[in-house]
Amino acid sequence: MAKGTMRYWAAAKAAAGTHEEPYDAATLADAVAAAGDGRGDEFARVVGRSSFLVDGDPVGTRPHASVALPEGGVVEVLPPFAGG
């Protein structure tokens, strides 16, 4: 298990009710599951559509269970953004 910080942006921040919180998880899948505990359907919907960065590196299409989290790392949760 590693400890670090999850940061939420835009709609993910609104759904989480916070800008950031600690994680204590071995993988990204574990961290996302723990973060969703008790947060409901809106959080699950937003995070399910989000992209993730781990210490600035994009997760892309890798299965979240295969993404090991580093001790002291930062996970960025980025929901889809409108742009122009």
Side-chain angles (χ1 to χ4, degrees):
M1 298 283 259
K3 295 179 188 238
T5 303
M6 288 187 73
R7 290 189 183 143
Y8 302 100
W9 298 96
K13 177 181 171 182
T18 187
H19 172 67
E20 68 180 40
E21 63 187 351
Y23 69 73
D24 187 358
T27 68
L28 179 57
D30 295 338
V32 170
D37 284 348
R39 284 212 164 112
D41 294 338
E42 180 63 11
F43 181 82
R45 184 186 70 77
V46 170
V47 171
R49 297 180 62 213
S50 293
S51 299
F52 296 87
L53 301 175
V54 176
D55 283 346
D57 295 324
V59 171
T61 59
R62 289 182 286 161
H64 294 172
S66 73
V67 179
L69 296 180
E71 183 67 31
V74 176
V75 174
E76 308 277 351
V77 183
L78 306 169
F81 293 94

